[in-house]
Amino acid sequence: MKVDVKEFLKPCSCGRKHEIAVDDMIIEKGAVSKLPEILARDAYKKFQNIVMICDENTYEAAGKTVERLVPGLKKAVLDPENLHADEHGVEAAQNQLDRIGDVDLMIAVGSGTVHDITRYHAYERKIPFFSVPTAASVDGYVSTVAAMTWHGFKKSFTAVSPAVVIADTDIFSKAPMRLTASGAADLLGKYTALADWKITHILTGEYICEEICEMEYKALDALKNSLSGLAQGDAAAYEELMYGLLLSGLAMQMTGNSRPASGAEHHMSHLWEMEVLNDYIDYYHGEKVGVGLILASKIYHKAAEKMRSETFTVKKSMPVEEELIRVNFTKLGMYESIMEENTPNLLEEIDSKKLLDKKNEIAAVIDEIPSAGELTEMLAKVDGVRSLEDLGFDESFQEKTARLSPYVRARITFMRLLKFYSFYEEVIKN
């Protein structure tokens, strides 16, 4: 599957000139064999000090092949044990890069963690990097930010997108099914992310691009049709998933932020990663997003039903719940960090009367999200994580997560808007 990135740069009906930071994306069997040819292009042949960043597992899966294809390649092979996109992972790579010396191009060989560590260092050094994904596990391969847990806080660092993505089906289709299921869940999370974007646009006029939304929905349709194929190891299904994940990353580049790809479902995942309600849980990003998606869908559909069938009221304003934050975000510095994230209060932009006037439009957007049951069935096809219990939580986490997760990011979602409604307490509970 050859992806023409120029296609995404054509004039758009939204009136904005979209920008793409990726020069080329190749998704096909044997793609990695094109690495020497790509490095010989005029844009890249000047690079002589090339380093590959991988871990011991991804070195075996693809790194050895990359090493054979690129003469003189230096390598930083990280210990996969407890390797995360955090200050420790960054330091581990830094130590190896210091040993290596001069570097003018990096090649990330791995999945999400290796890519975030690589893009962080590429940005710091102001050099480009190539992406060789070893699993269709996340939508962040072409992200322009490095999503890190930094001293316990979930942060997005300005970073760089890969110049070239070389996604070899022979490599990423051989990844453990759990990683593939994580990627499927991350992509399915766009259902609630897009709904959050659309609802906020209805209420505040926030910029939205219908063509980007449509691009994402087409990727979601393709994924739904590919889920059974993923379970059977079908190469075409794997390519559809990888294409959808890369497309999601391009949607973020075109928008200039993560709005098309991250909403309430990601905020729930971030809350659990910050260990506010729980101890550390050893689950992939997409697995947590998938559970967040199912919870958000369940709550949103209950709210839409209330909007259609009951008389309800809304608060005139919704201040930041400072005491709720103080009582729950108790780790050192976390209260101050969360309050800073929520200053100014984004809900001051909301004219609460519109929540009543636009109730049918809002409910119609929620209708576009598959039900919690449908999403559970989709993830079951790839044996994905799909419940709080799967993550080791009990049912009480639904209500707690719904209350707190909107505060981890400065972004309006319907999960946060629900705090205005008189039926709020009812819909966030099991």
Side-chain angles (χ1 to χ4, degrees):
M1 182 186 288
K2 181 76 170 75
V3 184
D4 182 5
V5 296
K6 292 187 180 69
E7 184 187 332
F8 300 101
L9 297 174
K10 63 188 180 186
C12 184
S13 60
C14 77
R16 282 197 183 182
K17 185 176 184 295
H18 296 305
E19 294 184 2
I20 298 282
V22 184
D23 295 334
D24 199 2
M25 296 196 314
I26 304 165
I27 311 169
E28 63 188 26
K29 285 174 168 286
V32 77
S33 65
K34 294 190 173 179
L35 196 47
E37 170 196 323
I38 294 165
L39 286 167
R41 293 176 185 171
D42 288 344
Y44 309 120
K45 64 184 180 185
K46 63 184 176 184
F47 299 117
Q48 298 301 314
N49 298 306
I50 304 173
V51 66
M52 170 176 65
I53 298 183
C54 57
D55 66 31
E56 291 165 8
N57 295 329
T58 62
Y59 177 69
E60 293 297 324
K64 283 182 176 178
T65 305
V66 172
E67 190 175 23
R68 191 180 69 249
L69 290 165
V70 184
L73 180 73
K74 298 163 187 173
K75 59 181 186 279
V77 184
L78 307 175
D79 182 353
E81 188 72 26
N82 292 318
L83 181 64
H84 302 290
D86 58 17
E87 68 274 18
H88 306 297
V90 165
E91 184 182 9
Q94 181 66 57
N95 291 338
Q96 295 216 35
L97 291 169
D98 288 344
R99 172 184 55 79
I100 289 166
D102 291 342
V103 179
D104 53 20
L105 175 72
M106 294 179 175
I107 302 176
V109 178
S111 54
T113 296
V114 166
H115 274 72
D116 277 333
I117 291 170
T118 304
R119 84 178 74 251
Y120 178 94
H121 283 295
Y123 176 78
E124 289 294 306
R125 291 166 178 257
K126 302 294 181 279
I127 62 173
F129 84 97
F130 287 2
S131 161
V132 179
T134 54
S137 55
V138 290
D139 72 347
Y141 287 120
V142 295
S143 175
T144 53
V145 298
M148 299 272 187
T149 302
W150 207 257
H151 300 290
F153 298 99
K154 197 70 186 177
K155 291 182 179 291
S156 293
F157 289 90
T158 302
V160 289
S161 164
V164 179
V165 179
I166 305 157
D168 191 324
T169 316
D170 291 328
I171 293 169
F172 67 79
S173 67
K174 304 293 191 302
M177 193 63 202
R178 185 182 165 194
L179 281 165
T180 302
S182 173
D186 198 10
L187 189 53
L188 288 170
K190 308 320 157 204
Y191 277 118
T192 41
L194 291 170
D196 284 332
W197 196 14
K198 286 183 167 187
I199 290 168
T200 305
H201 170 72
I202 289 167
L203 295 170
T204 71
E206 179 185 320
Y207 163 76
I208 197 167
C209 175
E210 292 298 339
E211 288 192 31
I212 290 175
C213 291
E214 192 56 37
M215 186 171 92
E216 293 260 59
Y217 283 125
K218 282 181 181 174
L220 286 165
D221 286 342
L223 172 62
K224 282 195 295 185
N225 293 330
S226 300
L227 289 169
S228 297
L230 290 172
Q232 293 157 13
D234 178 63
Y238 273 86
E239 288 180 3
E240 284 290 359
L241 172 58
M242 180 60 82
Y243 178 65
L245 292 168
L246 293 176
L247 208 62
S248 179
L250 290 181
M252 290 187 267
Q253 287 192 16
M254 293 165 74
T255 310
N257 57 55
S258 63
R259 187 47 131 161
S262 175
E265 74 300 322
H266 271 72
H267 299 168
M268 290 181 173
S269 171
H270 294 334
L271 182 76
W272 300 327
E273 287 163 3
M274 290 166 68
E275 299 171 34
V276 173
L277 299 171
N278 51 278
D279 294 327
Y280 171 73
I281 53 169
D282 191 16
Y283 286 86
Y284 294 128
H285 166 76
E287 292 177 321
K288 289 172 280 192
V289 167
V291 175
L293 163 68
I294 289 168
L295 290 188
S297 172
K298 181 179 170 185
I299 291 166
Y300 284 15
H301 281 288
K302 282 167 75 174
E305 192 178 326
K306 296 281 185 189
M307 281 190 269
R308 287 192 169 115
S309 63
E310 292 184 10
T311 302
F312 61 92
T313 59
V314 294
K315 296 174 183 175
K316 274 194 163 183
S317 62
M318 185 62 221
V320 172
E321 297 165 292
E322 188 173 349
E323 189 56 26
L324 180 73
I325 293 168
R326 187 191 306 279
V327 168
N328 288 280
F329 291 90
T330 56
K331 285 186 178 177
L332 184 64
M334 199 173 271
Y335 163 75
E336 290 79 9
S337 176
I338 294 296
M339 287 305 297
E340 186 180 339
E341 186 76 14
N342 289 280
T343 305
N345 175 17
L346 292 180
L347 294 189
E348 288 176 359
E349 298 177 35
I350 302 297
D351 174 0
S352 62
K353 187 173 178 293
K354 278 191 174 180
L355 295 169
L356 297 170
D357 295 343
K358 303 286 186 180
K359 66 177 185 177
N360 291 328
E361 285 180 57
I362 293 168
V365 170
I366 292 169
D367 288 345
E368 295 172 356
I369 306 169
S371 70
E374 289 168 330
L375 291 165
T376 300
E377 286 175 16
M378 288 179 207
L379 286 173
K381 288 183 179 179
V382 287
D383 198 25
V385 172
R386 47 198 183 271
S387 72
L388 287 169
E389 289 76 14
D390 287 346
L391 294 177
F393 301 149
D394 61 47
E395 287 190 354
S396 70
F397 268 61
Q398 176 175 311
E399 180 185 343
K400 293 172 188 173
T401 299
R403 284 188 197 282
L404 294 172
S405 59
Y407 289 119
V408 304
R409 278 285 184 273
R411 174 165 290 166
I412 298 175
T413 62
F414 189 60
M415 192 66 67
R416 187 157 179 175
L417 291 165
L418 276 170
K419 293 176 183 286
F420 276 101
Y421 292 86
S422 56
F423 51 67
Y424 178 64
E425 295 293 334
E426 253 182 286
V427 298
I428 64 169
K429 292 175 181 173
N430 288 315

